Every structure is written in structure tokens, then in C-alpha cells.
Amino acid sequence: MTHSLSLDCAKAIYRTAIDPRASDAESAAWWDEVADEVRDVVAARTIVEAAQVIEWWHHDWTSVSDTAGGAAKRIRLAARELYTAAH
């Protein structure tokens, strides 16, 4: 699933799990980086490994009442839901 995760699908997962306000006005380079990391989170063997991929996204996850692990779980859940809906 992750190797074929399109940019549009990665955007949908990111918007569902992390930031619904993220728009296509962000640069293509920014979205490419986000998409690569979303793919890595989805492909990770465990939530701990997935969280390590995105731990740097916020300087202080607690300032937004979140954790890298929580975000990783949401990304993986959103990916699973989109994949299930498509098949």
C-alpha cells in the first residue's frame, strides 16, 4: 500500500490526521516531504517507529496537546480508512 500511496492520498491522510487547514498553497517541496514522511509512518512496523519519523514536526508536541505517537496513530488510522474505502 505505501509504495503506491499517491501524493493526493498522502495529503488526504495528513489533512485527516494532522491539519485539516493544510492547503495546496503550501509549496510542492513541502508537500513532497510531508508525503514521504506519511508513507514512512504508514510503513513503519510499530507506532514507536512511526512516531520517530515525525517526532521533529513540532518543537513541543505538548504545546498543541499532542504527541508524535498520537499523530502517528491518527496517520495510520486515516491511511487504513482511505485504503479500506478504496477497495
Side-chain angles (χ1 to χ4, degrees):
M1 175 175 72
T2 57
H3 295 296
S4 63
L5 192 65
S6 71
L7 177 60
D8 287 338
C9 190
K11 285 179 179 182
I13 291 167
Y14 181 83
R15 288 175 176 140
T16 298
I18 304 298
D19 185 0
R21 298 164 297 158
S23 75
D24 289 335
E26 300 291 346
S27 72
W30 185 84
W31 273 118
D32 285 342
E33 186 173 326
V34 168
D36 285 344
E37 290 180 350
V38 165
R39 291 178 189 111
D40 290 345
V41 168
V42 172
R45 292 180 303 154
T46 66
I47 292 295
V48 171
E49 288 178 8
Q52 290 172 345
V53 172
I54 59 171
E55 196 163 356
W56 70 273
W57 278 4
H58 291 289
H59 295 290
D60 185 1
W61 284 88
T62 59
S63 70
V64 293
S65 300
D66 203 356
T67 65
K73 287 177 188 176
R74 291 191 310 277
I75 288 170
R76 291 161 65 100
L77 177 61
R80 190 175 311 117
E81 289 173 353
L82 285 172
Y83 181 77
T84 301
H87 291 92

